[in-house]
Amino acid sequence: MDKPLNILYLEDNPQDVELVKALLLADDLSCTVISVESSATFVAALKRNDIDLIISDYSLPGFNGLAALKIASETMPETPFILFSGTLGEDAAIESLRNGATDYVLKHRFKRLVPAVRRALIQAQERRERRRAEETLRLRNSAIEASINPIIITNSLQPDDPIEYVNPAFERMTGYTAAEVMGRNCRFLQGRHPDLSGIASIRALLREQRAGQVVIKNYRKDGCLFWNELHLAPVQDVDGHTTHFIGVLNDITETKRYQEQLEHQAKYDFLTHLPNRSLLYDRLEQAITYAQSYQRGVGVAFIDLDHFKLINDGIGHDVGDQILTIVAQRLKKTVRAVDTVARWGGDEFVVILYNLAQDDILAHFLQNLLATVRQTVTVEDREFNLTCSIGLSLYPQDGRDMAILLRSADAAMYRAKEQGRDNFQSYTPEMHERINERLTLENSLRQALARQEFVLYYQPQIDLRSGRMVGVEALIRWQHPEMGLISPARFIPVAEDSGLILPIGEWVIRTACAQNKAWQTAGLPPITVAVNVSARQFSDKKLAMLVAQVLRETSLEACYLELELTESLVMHNAEDTIVTLRALKALGVRLAIDDFGTGYSSLAYLRQFPVDRLKIDQSFVQEISTNSNNTVIVKAVISLGHSLNIDVIAEGVESQAQLEFLHTHDCDEVQGYYFSKPVPPEQFIEVLTGSRYNGVA
Ligand code: C2E
Ligand code: MG
Ligand code: MG
């Protein structure tokens, strides 16, 4: 015992007080004796609250030991109480013990007092410790009971580790009551599809009797799966033997689900749910490895939707996204189950064709992909007719590794674009050169505007009845410092893909209008200048505003400007085209459909388009008299135009024979080398005075 004990002694006889003090001090009990002699001083002393033991005489003046015992056991029930009396009879002694006295010692046997005090103190100490232990136990128990984490205690001393305890949280989480699970082994939580790796980890912990954490698939009573992050810890007895295991369960189903979602997102495209690039790489790698081992082929088809930017920019990304999703699903249905369709990004997809055998099957397969994309897509009650361009590369002949195969397929896809889209091309080695060339072209194209390398050439358009020149078409040329004069057929597609067509197109409109106004100012008879507008410009919401602004700036009357739109462009999304065409028409400009006959026009739409002219594509004009098919088409276009009250102009007229045919069939106007090649403005006056077309009519 560390601190000195306070012993309270109730005694009216001073000699006895001396005796007790002497007895206690003689022993090595370190204590202070506080003596009191009346009930009042006794009560006051008890209030100090630091009394470790009470010794009391039995008979006191106006007070007695039993009364003192009563007071003490009410106020300090823990404190040992020893009666020390010379007069105590056996009855009183028994009664005092019954009333809670710890012991009694007769005064003439005073030597027994010190051992009695020692005994009483030890007992009191033990009682206090027991109580404290009980208190702790109770506290821990209620903590376990109140814990929100399910807790299981199993008994390791009995066979098959039966459950000995589960807390209410366990009951709540698993749906099993404590009574249902008591005495059973925990394996009932593993359901019908045991999570073998989890079980193995648990077994290892149990065998090695150590603490650890295991994530395991468990099932609730209703059969519902939950992911359990289980903390297991052994409980050892004093000898270090494991008697129990405590398991704390943690439902991490949500976390696990989130994790899975993240993993999915890392591998699948968010919009279309197709494999993304990273999963594509994995699969392609696998396909190549497989093909190497079994001497098989792998096909990589690079698919790019044609003019998809028009939809995205013109109609909105929402609709664009929905279309992509639909196309993605259709592509997936078109391929075999073993093949992979992945989203490369934007409107580009890649198909991996595994285990290829014959090439003819491949062609058939690619035709199917083209046909799939051609199927009308309906979004928000609107119909969209898409096409795509596909490039194909094959393992092993076109590349022995993934990167080369993909690059080759991409190059072939570009070739398909150049071939007029809606077709597929297989890779050939020259394609790489073309790609490089294209990149070089794009780089210098970026600077061409600022360096004033563009020029407009003009080609006359002649009215077949009057023989007079009624208009000119402005055709852009690029005067490249090293490469010389580059034709628009080469650089316009590059400008469209890179977006450079917008500033270039703006320059064309502005220059053509200014030139036309200049001719008028110079006193020439007023004519129309026709400007080609590309798909990208047409889908730009600001086109009408730009045209209006240029007309204002150049003071050209709107009726002397004509915008040429290609047939495939206007038919691509006819509903929106009508709206844009009307906005342009409202400015007073003329509208023409270029390359007519090549783009599957719908008559129903054509009727609604406010167009002034159809331009028969030069491919029909060229073989006009030799190819009967073309003869029919040209005649049909002329009569179609006239039935809709639209003028028809034929382009690419090179010969007298062609001219005569067109004249005979009532074509309104013509344009072509027969009269003049496109010429720079400074030569234009020369053309005007040239003889050729004075003699037409
Ligand atoms: P397009 O609008 O159909 O232009 C007619 C093309 O046929 C021009 O080629 C013209 O030079 C050519 N051509 C005219 N008469 C004859 C002929 O008798 N025989 C033959 N074989 N060809 C003839 P060009 O100038 O090379 O332009 C090619 C295409 O580039 C144009 O086709 C047009 O789509 C586009 N383009 C030209 N200038 C512009 C422009 O400023 N903006 C845009 N967006 N596209 C342009
Ligand atoms: Mg044109
Ligand atoms: Mg044309």
Side-chain angles (χ1 to χ4, degrees):
M1 281 165 217
D2 310 321
K3 76 176 184 22
L5 296 163
N6 290 324
I7 296 182
L8 179 64
Y9 183 24
L10 176 58
E11 177 60 75
D12 58 333
N13 182 345
Q15 276 139 28
D16 285 353
V17 172
E18 286 315 307
L19 170 71
V20 166
K21 278 187 180 167
L23 280 172
L24 291 173
L25 294 178
D27 201 90
D28 62 352
L29 252 178
S30 101
C31 64
T32 315
V33 177
I34 306 148
S35 72
V36 290
E37 51 176 49
S38 67
S39 95
T41 48
F42 178 67
V43 170
L46 285 182
K47 287 205 175 120
R48 293 168 46 138
N49 229 358
D50 60 351
I51 302 299
D52 298 293
L53 183 114
I54 301 165
I55 303 173
S56 172
D57 191 12
Y58 184 70
S59 49
L60 296 147
F63 194 40
N64 74 27
L66 278 180
L69 175 61
K70 193 160 184 283
I71 295 169
S73 53
E74 273 163 14
T75 52
M76 319 192 61
E78 296 283 299
T79 315
F81 189 103
I82 298 174
L83 273 171
F84 184 55
S85 162
T87 56
L88 190 68
E90 198 162 336
D91 290 347
I94 289 168
E95 167 141 36
S96 69
L97 288 179
R98 206 179 281 144
N99 284 321
T102 317
D103 209 345
Y104 71 87
V105 177
L106 296 173
K107 279 190 180 164
H108 63 273
R109 292 206 170 131
F110 61 84
K111 282 202 177 131
R112 290 186 178 174
L113 181 64
V114 174
V117 165
R118 282 192 176 281
R119 237 186 352 262
L121 285 172
I122 288 168
Q123 276 169 15
Q125 174 73 12
E126 280 172 358
R127 226 182 4 254
R128 263 199 302 277
E129 273 166 15
R130 207 176 315 122
R131 176 119 9 157
R132 213 173 294 140
E134 276 167 14
E135 193 60 24
T136 315
L137 202 62
R138 206 169 49 79
L139 193 69
R140 298 216 175 133
N141 220 5
S142 38
I144 290 177
E145 290 272 315
S147 162
I148 53 162
N149 276 117
I151 294 168
I152 303 186
I153 301 177
T154 58
N155 190 327
S156 310
L157 299 177
Q158 288 182 30
D160 211 23
D161 300 86
I163 296 179
E164 214 172 86
Y165 169 83
V166 294
N167 70 349
F170 175 91
E171 297 180 302
R172 279 197 299 277
M173 185 171 107
T174 63
Y176 291 102
T177 64
E180 280 174 312
V181 304
M182 218 48 78
R184 292 170 75 182
N185 178 285
C186 290
R187 73 176 70 84
F188 64 88
L189 287 172
Q190 286 152 12
R192 260 182 284 162
H193 310 286
D195 173 352
L196 297 176
S197 83
I199 293 173
S201 314
I202 293 182
R203 291 214 175 118
L205 292 179
L206 294 179
R207 195 174 50 240
E208 292 158 25
Q209 307 203 341
R210 57 185 176 85
Q213 184 181 309
V214 175
V215 172
I216 184 169
K217 235 193 272 177
N218 279 166
Y219 295 85
R220 299 178 215 280
K221 192 180 176 187
D222 62 10
C224 204
L225 178 143
F226 70 95
W227 281 97
N228 178 5
E229 185 186 75
L230 177 67
H231 297 261
L232 274 181
V235 181
Q236 276 147 2
D237 64 12
V238 278
D239 304 323
H241 294 125
T242 299
T243 60
H244 293 84
F245 256 92
I246 299 197
V248 180
L249 290 70
N250 196 358
D251 182 352
I252 55 159
T253 314
E254 277 303 304
T255 323
K256 197 83 181 168
R257 209 168 277 157
Y258 183 62
Q259 239 172 34
E260 281 167 359
Q261 205 178 323
L262 285 183
E263 273 163 27
H264 185 86
Q265 272 171 23
K267 290 197 167 150
Y268 290 86
D269 169 52
F270 180 73
L271 177 71
T272 60
H273 300 296
L274 292 179
N276 63 12
R277 260 190 218 204
S278 111
L279 188 53
L280 168 77
Y281 291 144
D282 287 354
R283 299 253 175 103
L284 189 52
E285 194 83 73
Q286 273 171 20
I288 291 172
T289 313
Y290 180 88
Q292 265 164 356
S293 318
Y294 297 93
Q295 273 78 47
R296 292 301 185 118
V298 179
V300 176
F302 209 107
I303 305 177
D304 187 292
L305 302 184
D306 298 328
H307 298 301
F308 191 73
K309 276 204 171 66
L310 294 182
I311 294 181
N312 250 355
D313 298 350
I315 303 170
H317 290 263
D318 272 6
V319 171
D321 282 356
Q322 292 182 56
I323 293 175
L324 283 176
T325 312
I326 294 170
V327 171
Q329 282 163 359
R330 288 184 183 169
L331 287 175
K332 208 178 156 182
K333 277 197 201 129
T334 311
V335 304
R336 300 166 303 175
V338 290
D339 299 329
T340 293
V341 182
R343 186 167 178 213
W344 182 255
D347 59 349
E348 295 169 324
F349 300 91
V350 171
V351 181
I352 307 173
L353 304 160
Y354 292 83
N355 211 355
L356 282 180
Q358 293 147 296
D359 283 6
D360 54 335
I361 294 175
L362 196 61
H364 173 73
F365 185 81
L366 295 172
Q367 287 295 0
N368 278 350
L369 287 175
L370 288 172
T372 300
V373 174
R374 254 185 247 123
Q375 285 167 19
T376 304
V377 177
T378 310
V379 172
E380 292 172 5
D381 290 337
R382 292 160 78 162
E383 293 190 344
F384 297 91
N385 294 308
L386 297 167
T387 56
C388 69
S389 305
I390 306 180
L392 177 77
S393 66
L394 295 172
Y395 173 89
Q397 54 268 49
D398 298 334
R400 297 204 148 257
D401 77 25
M402 185 165 74
I404 297 178
L405 279 175
L406 282 165
R407 218 169 48 219
S408 305
D410 189 34
M413 187 275 290
Y414 264 103
R415 183 78 190 125
K417 292 261 178 209
E418 286 172 354
Q419 291 293 303
R421 302 178 160 94
D422 192 19
N423 73 108
F424 70 83
Q425 295 290 323
S426 294
Y427 173 78
T428 59
E430 307 83 67
M431 286 178 181
H432 265 309
E433 281 160 41
R434 293 186 62 93
I435 291 284
N436 283 339
E437 195 187 288
R438 223 184 137 92
L439 282 176
T440 321
L441 209 62
E442 185 179 321
N443 281 337
S444 40
L445 197 57
R446 287 187 189 284
Q447 295 148 38
L449 254 188
R451 295 186 180 168
Q452 301 187 316
E453 290 168 4
F454 293 120
V455 267
L456 283 188
Y457 277 35
Y458 297 90
Q459 188 178 35
Q461 299 174 329
I462 289 83
D463 181 301
L464 273 181
R465 280 176 214 94
S466 67
R468 287 217 314 269
M469 183 174 75
V470 286
V472 286
E473 177 174 8
L475 294 157
I476 193 168
R477 301 287 179 267
W478 181 11
Q479 189 64 60
H480 193 283
E482 288 118 40
M483 294 190 257
L485 203 65
I486 304 178
S487 101
R490 249 184 94 193
F491 71 83
I492 292 288
V494 182
E496 284 187 344
D497 284 344
S498 59
L500 288 167
I501 193 67
L502 290 181
I504 295 174
E506 181 174 338
W507 177 86
V508 172
I509 297 175
R510 186 167 280 120
T511 310
C513 288
Q515 180 61 69
N516 201 13
K517 184 68 190 177
W519 283 324
Q520 291 180 10
T521 316
L524 295 175
I527 52 167
T528 314
V529 67
V531 170
N532 293 285
V533 172
S534 87
R536 197 60 185 273
Q537 284 172 280
F538 188 68
S539 69
D540 183 23
K541 295 239 158 43
K542 287 183 248 145
L543 179 64
M545 233 166 64
L546 172 72
V547 170
Q549 187 194 333
V550 169
L551 290 172
R552 237 179 294 125
E553 274 173 27
T554 57
S555 327
L556 182 73
E557 262 183 80
C559 64
Y560 296 120
L561 173 65
E562 182 169 271
L563 301 178
E564 286 190 11
L565 312 157
T566 61
E567 185 184 17
S568 51
L569 182 161
V570 292
M571 287 303 161
H572 184 66
N573 178 13
E575 297 285 343
D576 284 312
T577 297
I578 294 175
V579 177
T580 315
L581 288 182
R582 288 198 179 134
L584 289 168
K585 194 68 212 162
L587 299 174
V589 299
R590 289 165 55 87
L591 299 173
I593 299 186
D594 205 353
D595 303 343
F596 195 81
T598 58
Y600 318 102
S601 269
S602 143
L603 195 58
Y605 282 128
L606 201 55
R607 229 176 235 130
Q608 296 177 57
F609 292 160
V611 293
D612 303 278
R613 267 220 274 210
L614 298 181
K615 293 191 81 173
I616 303 179
D617 190 67
Q618 47 179 284
S619 60
F620 302 112
V621 176
Q622 242 128 58
E623 296 167 29
I624 213 163
S625 40
T626 50
N627 183 328
S628 62
N629 236 344
N630 286 355
T631 317
V632 173
I633 292 173
V634 171
K635 283 202 252 176
V637 173
I638 295 171
S639 72
L640 171 70
H642 290 170
S643 74
L644 294 174
N645 239 337
I646 302 173
D647 277 357
V648 179
I649 177 168
E651 58 181 339
V653 178
E654 293 181 358
S655 70
Q656 181 79 31
Q658 291 163 348
L659 183 70
E660 271 163 18
F661 178 93
L662 293 161
H663 196 32
T664 318
H665 290 94
D666 217 14
C667 188
D668 302 283
E669 287 123 21
V670 285
Q671 173 184 346
Y673 294 171
Y674 182 73
F675 301 99
S676 166
K677 291 202 164 186
V679 292
E682 52 280 10
Q683 282 176 35
F684 201 70
I685 305 288
E686 230 174 89
V687 172
L688 280 178
T689 51
S691 59
R692 234 309 129 68
Y693 62 105
N694 287 332
V696 172

